[in-house]
Amino acid sequence: MTHSSSTSISRRAAIATLAALGSGAVLAQGVASRPVTVRLGYQKSSTLIAVLKAQGALEKQLAPLNVALSWHEFTSGLPLLEALNLDNLDISADVADTVPVFAQAAGADLTFLAQEAPSPSAQAIVVREDSPIRTVADLKGKKVGFAKAAGAHYLLIAALDKAGLSFKDIEPAYLTPADGRAAFEKGAIDAWVVWDPFLAAAQRQSKVRVLADGAGIASYQRYYLASSKFAKARPDVLRVVYAELEKTGKWVKQNPKEAATLLSPVWGLDAATIEQANARRSYAVWPVVPEGLGEQQRIADAFLAEKLLPRKIDALNVALFKPGA
């Protein structure tokens, strides 16, 4: 073989090698640029998440982290946290304070991301306006509808206890908010325990009377959570979510009409109803600290006493996310 032909072959080999390396680099770049999908669960009453979803703000803030969101709606908090526990979700939007208690009793490994300040008047026990039931004590022997493990569930237990009754004194009907509304309007249940915006919708669209809300008995705090596995792997994502929740909570309270108008087509409710509902929610987003979890233990103990929780739990023995860390 001549020197010139050998050189030619070497050049062709070098070019082929460079081409292969180049295509490999392009392929690697394509793989690297493929967004990681984060699964976020929410429910209709997840106001701040609903605003962020409608505005596209959360996706925009997560894009620099190469993260895409997939959204998953649930009827209430318990199935939402069950999905989180089964690793079908990474992050859970706000659920009532009762729900994590049931998840902990089921052995869920959860991290508390954030909480909303108390909103005791944002849930209530209602009866039809013409009902003979005048007080909570009159619920004895009556059929009461509510979502299992929701904040409404604890409100009912606490209100019955205050009236000298126990949970066994009523006939419970475990119903999603939509099914509860239908049963209530048909007269299939005597009373309904529900939260906003469903409460505001019932007040504005039906003739109802409030027997009791959470004032003085159930503070109704709402928590945002993540699977602990995800919290350890992607604290950068949780920091972005926390910051957006905090900012959006302030915006909703400072711009009630704009927020209601934005949410109206999302929720299928008129803006006036949404504004009434939002006025009863604090939407102040805080980091979760051990000192703020005192009511969680009281809730757990109340459910255990009524034999509604399978085992005793230490409600304060939970993982807490530190947004500033």
Short mmCIF file of all heavy atoms in Angstrom, two decimals, residues 253-288:
data_model
loop_
_atom_site.label_atom_id
_atom_site.label_comp_id
_atom_site.label_asym_id
_atom_site.label_seq_id
_atom_site.Cartn_x
_atom_site.Cartn_y
_atom_site.Cartn_z
N LYS A 253 -55.63 37.10 47.17
CA LYS A 253 -56.23 37.94 48.20
C LYS A 253 -56.22 39.42 47.82
O LYS A 253 -57.13 40.17 48.16
CB LYS A 253 -55.51 37.75 49.54
CG LYS A 253 -55.66 36.38 50.14
CD LYS A 253 -57.10 35.91 50.25
CE LYS A 253 -57.84 36.52 51.41
NZ LYS A 253 -59.19 35.92 51.59
N GLN A 254 -55.21 39.83 47.08
CA GLN A 254 -55.11 41.24 46.68
C GLN A 254 -55.95 41.56 45.44
O GLN A 254 -56.26 42.72 45.19
CB GLN A 254 -53.64 41.60 46.41
CG GLN A 254 -52.77 41.60 47.66
CD GLN A 254 -51.29 41.66 47.36
OE1 GLN A 254 -50.87 41.72 46.19
NE2 GLN A 254 -50.46 41.62 48.40
N ASN A 255 -56.32 40.53 44.69
CA ASN A 255 -57.08 40.72 43.45
C ASN A 255 -58.28 39.77 43.40
O ASN A 255 -58.36 38.89 42.53
CB ASN A 255 -56.17 40.48 42.23
CG ASN A 255 -54.95 41.38 42.22
OD1 ASN A 255 -55.00 42.51 41.75
ND2 ASN A 255 -53.85 40.88 42.74
N PRO A 256 -59.22 39.92 44.33
CA PRO A 256 -60.32 38.94 44.44
C PRO A 256 -61.19 38.83 43.20
O PRO A 256 -61.60 37.74 42.81
CB PRO A 256 -61.12 39.43 45.65
CG PRO A 256 -60.73 40.88 45.81
CD PRO A 256 -59.33 40.98 45.35
N LYS A 257 -61.48 39.96 42.58
CA LYS A 257 -62.35 39.92 41.38
C LYS A 257 -61.63 39.29 40.19
O LYS A 257 -62.21 38.49 39.45
CB LYS A 257 -62.83 41.33 41.04
CG LYS A 257 -63.79 41.91 42.07
CD LYS A 257 -64.45 43.18 41.58
CE LYS A 257 -65.36 43.77 42.64
NZ LYS A 257 -66.44 42.83 43.03
N GLU A 258 -60.37 39.65 39.99
CA GLU A 258 -59.61 39.08 38.88
C GLU A 258 -59.44 37.58 39.07
O GLU A 258 -59.56 36.80 38.11
CB GLU A 258 -58.24 39.75 38.78
CG GLU A 258 -58.29 41.20 38.35
CD GLU A 258 -58.37 42.17 39.54
OE1 GLU A 258 -58.89 41.77 40.60
OE2 GLU A 258 -57.91 43.32 39.40
N ALA A 259 -59.17 37.16 40.32
CA ALA A 259 -59.01 35.73 40.61
C ALA A 259 -60.31 34.98 40.34
O ALA A 259 -60.30 33.89 39.76
CB ALA A 259 -58.56 35.53 42.05
N ALA A 260 -61.43 35.55 40.77
CA ALA A 260 -62.73 34.91 40.57
C ALA A 260 -63.07 34.80 39.08
O ALA A 260 -63.59 33.77 38.62
CB ALA A 260 -63.82 35.69 41.30
N THR A 261 -62.76 35.84 38.33
CA THR A 261 -63.01 35.83 36.88
C THR A 261 -62.15 34.77 36.20
O THR A 261 -62.61 34.06 35.29
CB THR A 261 -62.72 37.21 36.27
OG1 THR A 261 -63.58 38.18 36.90
CG2 THR A 261 -62.97 37.22 34.78
N LEU A 262 -60.91 34.63 36.63
CA LEU A 262 -60.00 33.63 36.06
C LEU A 262 -60.50 32.21 36.34
O LEU A 262 -60.46 31.34 35.47
CB LEU A 262 -58.60 33.82 36.65
CG LEU A 262 -57.53 32.80 36.22
CD1 LEU A 262 -57.16 33.00 34.75
CD2 LEU A 262 -56.30 32.92 37.10
N LEU A 263 -61.00 31.98 37.57
CA LEU A 263 -61.40 30.64 37.98
C LEU A 263 -62.79 30.25 37.52
O LEU A 263 -63.13 29.07 37.50
CB LEU A 263 -61.34 30.54 39.51
CG LEU A 263 -59.93 30.53 40.12
CD1 LEU A 263 -60.00 30.71 41.63
CD2 LEU A 263 -59.20 29.25 39.77
N SER A 264 -63.60 31.23 37.14
CA SER A 264 -64.99 30.94 36.77
C SER A 264 -65.13 29.87 35.69
O SER A 264 -65.86 28.88 35.88
CB SER A 264 -65.69 32.24 36.35
OG SER A 264 -67.05 31.98 36.04
N PRO A 265 -64.46 29.99 34.53
CA PRO A 265 -64.60 28.94 33.53
C PRO A 265 -63.93 27.63 33.93
O PRO A 265 -64.31 26.55 33.47
CB PRO A 265 -63.92 29.54 32.29
CG PRO A 265 -62.97 30.56 32.82
CD PRO A 265 -63.62 31.11 34.05
N VAL A 266 -62.92 27.71 34.80
CA VAL A 266 -62.21 26.51 35.25
C VAL A 266 -63.10 25.67 36.15
O VAL A 266 -63.18 24.45 36.04
CB VAL A 266 -60.91 26.90 35.99
CG1 VAL A 266 -60.22 25.66 36.55
CG2 VAL A 266 -59.98 27.67 35.07
N TRP A 267 -63.80 26.34 37.06
CA TRP A 267 -64.64 25.65 38.04
C TRP A 267 -66.10 25.49 37.59
O TRP A 267 -66.86 24.76 38.21
CB TRP A 267 -64.61 26.41 39.36
CG TRP A 267 -63.34 26.20 40.14
CD1 TRP A 267 -62.33 25.35 39.84
CD2 TRP A 267 -62.97 26.86 41.35
NE1 TRP A 267 -61.34 25.43 40.79
CE2 TRP A 267 -61.70 26.34 41.73
CE3 TRP A 267 -63.57 27.82 42.15
CZ2 TRP A 267 -61.04 26.77 42.87
CZ3 TRP A 267 -62.91 28.24 43.30
CH2 TRP A 267 -61.65 27.72 43.65
N GLY A 268 -66.48 26.21 36.54
CA GLY A 268 -67.87 26.15 36.10
C GLY A 268 -68.81 26.81 37.08
O GLY A 268 -69.98 26.42 37.22
N LEU A 269 -68.33 27.82 37.78
CA LEU A 269 -69.12 28.57 38.75
C LEU A 269 -69.07 30.05 38.38
O LEU A 269 -68.11 30.51 37.77
CB LEU A 269 -68.58 28.39 40.17
CG LEU A 269 -68.64 26.98 40.78
CD1 LEU A 269 -67.84 26.93 42.07
CD2 LEU A 269 -70.09 26.58 41.03
N ASP A 270 -70.11 30.79 38.77
CA ASP A 270 -70.09 32.22 38.48
C ASP A 270 -69.07 32.91 39.37
O ASP A 270 -68.74 32.45 40.47
CB ASP A 270 -71.49 32.82 38.67
CG ASP A 270 -71.95 32.73 40.12
OD1 ASP A 270 -72.47 31.67 40.51
OD2 ASP A 270 -71.77 33.71 40.86
N ALA A 271 -68.56 34.03 38.89
CA ALA A 271 -67.48 34.74 39.59
C ALA A 271 -67.89 35.19 40.99
O ALA A 271 -67.07 35.17 41.91
CB ALA A 271 -67.02 35.94 38.76
N ALA A 272 -69.15 35.59 41.17
CA ALA A 272 -69.61 36.05 42.50
C ALA A 272 -69.53 34.93 43.53
O ALA A 272 -69.16 35.16 44.69
CB ALA A 272 -71.03 36.59 42.39
N THR A 273 -69.88 33.71 43.12
CA THR A 273 -69.80 32.56 44.03
C THR A 273 -68.35 32.29 44.42
O THR A 273 -68.03 32.05 45.59
CB THR A 273 -70.42 31.32 43.37
OG1 THR A 273 -71.80 31.55 43.14
CG2 THR A 273 -70.25 30.08 44.24
N ILE A 274 -67.47 32.36 43.44
CA ILE A 274 -66.05 32.10 43.71
C ILE A 274 -65.46 33.18 44.60
O ILE A 274 -64.70 32.89 45.53
CB ILE A 274 -65.27 32.01 42.39
CG1 ILE A 274 -65.74 30.80 41.58
CG2 ILE A 274 -63.76 31.92 42.64
CD1 ILE A 274 -65.20 30.72 40.19
N GLU A 275 -65.86 34.41 44.37
CA GLU A 275 -65.35 35.50 45.21
C GLU A 275 -65.81 35.32 46.66
O GLU A 275 -65.04 35.56 47.60
CB GLU A 275 -65.82 36.84 44.66
CG GLU A 275 -65.09 38.02 45.27
CD GLU A 275 -65.39 39.34 44.57
OE1 GLU A 275 -66.01 39.34 43.48
OE2 GLU A 275 -64.99 40.39 45.13
N GLN A 276 -67.05 34.87 46.85
CA GLN A 276 -67.55 34.61 48.20
C GLN A 276 -66.75 33.49 48.86
O GLN A 276 -66.38 33.59 50.04
CB GLN A 276 -69.03 34.22 48.14
CG GLN A 276 -69.63 33.87 49.52
CD GLN A 276 -71.12 33.57 49.43
OE1 GLN A 276 -71.85 34.17 48.65
NE2 GLN A 276 -71.58 32.61 50.22
N ALA A 277 -66.49 32.44 48.10
CA ALA A 277 -65.72 31.31 48.64
C ALA A 277 -64.29 31.74 48.98
O ALA A 277 -63.78 31.43 50.07
CB ALA A 277 -65.70 30.17 47.63
N ASN A 278 -63.66 32.46 48.09
CA ASN A 278 -62.26 32.86 48.30
C ASN A 278 -62.11 33.82 49.47
O ASN A 278 -61.05 33.88 50.11
CB ASN A 278 -61.70 33.50 47.04
CG ASN A 278 -61.40 32.47 45.96
OD1 ASN A 278 -61.45 31.27 46.21
ND2 ASN A 278 -61.10 32.92 44.76
N ALA A 279 -63.15 34.58 49.77
CA ALA A 279 -63.09 35.52 50.89
C ALA A 279 -62.96 34.79 52.23
O ALA A 279 -62.45 35.36 53.20
CB ALA A 279 -64.35 36.40 50.90
N ARG A 280 -63.38 33.52 52.26
CA ARG A 280 -63.33 32.76 53.52
C ARG A 280 -62.04 31.95 53.66
O ARG A 280 -61.80 31.38 54.72
CB ARG A 280 -64.54 31.82 53.61
CG ARG A 280 -65.85 32.56 53.80
CD ARG A 280 -67.00 31.62 54.14
NE ARG A 280 -67.45 30.84 53.02
CZ ARG A 280 -68.73 30.77 52.62
NH1 ARG A 280 -69.66 31.47 53.25
NH2 ARG A 280 -69.07 30.01 51.59
N ARG A 281 -61.24 31.90 52.61
CA ARG A 281 -59.97 31.18 52.68
C ARG A 281 -58.84 32.17 52.90
O ARG A 281 -58.83 33.26 52.34
CB ARG A 281 -59.73 30.41 51.37
CG ARG A 281 -60.62 29.20 51.16
CD ARG A 281 -60.06 27.94 51.76
NE ARG A 281 -58.83 27.51 51.11
CZ ARG A 281 -58.77 26.76 50.01
NH1 ARG A 281 -59.88 26.36 49.42
NH2 ARG A 281 -57.61 26.40 49.50
N SER A 282 -57.87 31.78 53.72
CA SER A 282 -56.77 32.69 54.04
C SER A 282 -55.80 32.83 52.86
O SER A 282 -55.34 33.94 52.57
CB SER A 282 -56.00 32.16 55.25
OG SER A 282 -55.26 31.01 54.91
N TYR A 283 -55.45 31.72 52.23
CA TYR A 283 -54.47 31.67 51.14
C TYR A 283 -53.10 32.20 51.53
O TYR A 283 -52.26 32.48 50.67
CB TYR A 283 -54.98 32.38 49.88
CG TYR A 283 -56.21 31.71 49.30
CD1 TYR A 283 -57.36 32.46 49.04
CD2 TYR A 283 -56.23 30.36 49.04
CE1 TYR A 283 -58.50 31.84 48.52
CE2 TYR A 283 -57.37 29.74 48.53
CZ TYR A 283 -58.48 30.49 48.27
OH TYR A 283 -59.61 29.88 47.77
N ALA A 284 -52.85 32.35 52.83
CA ALA A 284 -51.52 32.71 53.31
C ALA A 284 -50.70 31.42 53.38
O ALA A 284 -51.05 30.51 54.13
CB ALA A 284 -51.60 33.37 54.68
N VAL A 285 -49.65 31.32 52.58
CA VAL A 285 -48.85 30.10 52.50
C VAL A 285 -47.63 30.23 53.40
O VAL A 285 -46.87 31.19 53.31
CB VAL A 285 -48.43 29.83 51.04
CG1 VAL A 285 -47.50 28.62 50.96
CG2 VAL A 285 -49.66 29.61 50.17
N TRP A 286 -47.46 29.22 54.27
CA TRP A 286 -46.36 29.21 55.23
C TRP A 286 -45.56 27.92 55.10
O TRP A 286 -46.09 26.89 54.68
CB TRP A 286 -46.90 29.25 56.67
CG TRP A 286 -47.70 30.43 57.06
CD1 TRP A 286 -47.72 31.64 56.47
CD2 TRP A 286 -48.62 30.50 58.15
NE1 TRP A 286 -48.58 32.48 57.13
CE2 TRP A 286 -49.15 31.81 58.16
CE3 TRP A 286 -49.04 29.61 59.13
CZ2 TRP A 286 -50.08 32.24 59.11
CZ3 TRP A 286 -49.96 30.02 60.08
CH2 TRP A 286 -50.48 31.33 60.06
N PRO A 287 -44.28 27.96 55.56
CA PRO A 287 -43.56 26.69 55.73
C PRO A 287 -44.21 25.91 56.89
O PRO A 287 -44.75 26.53 57.83
CB PRO A 287 -42.14 27.12 56.09
CG PRO A 287 -42.05 28.57 55.78
CD PRO A 287 -43.44 29.11 55.88
N VAL A 288 -44.17 24.62 56.84
CA VAL A 288 -44.71 23.81 57.93
C VAL A 288 -43.62 23.64 58.98
O VAL A 288 -42.51 23.23 58.68
CB VAL A 288 -45.19 22.44 57.43
CG1 VAL A 288 -45.82 21.63 58.57
CG2 VAL A 288 -46.19 22.61 56.29
#
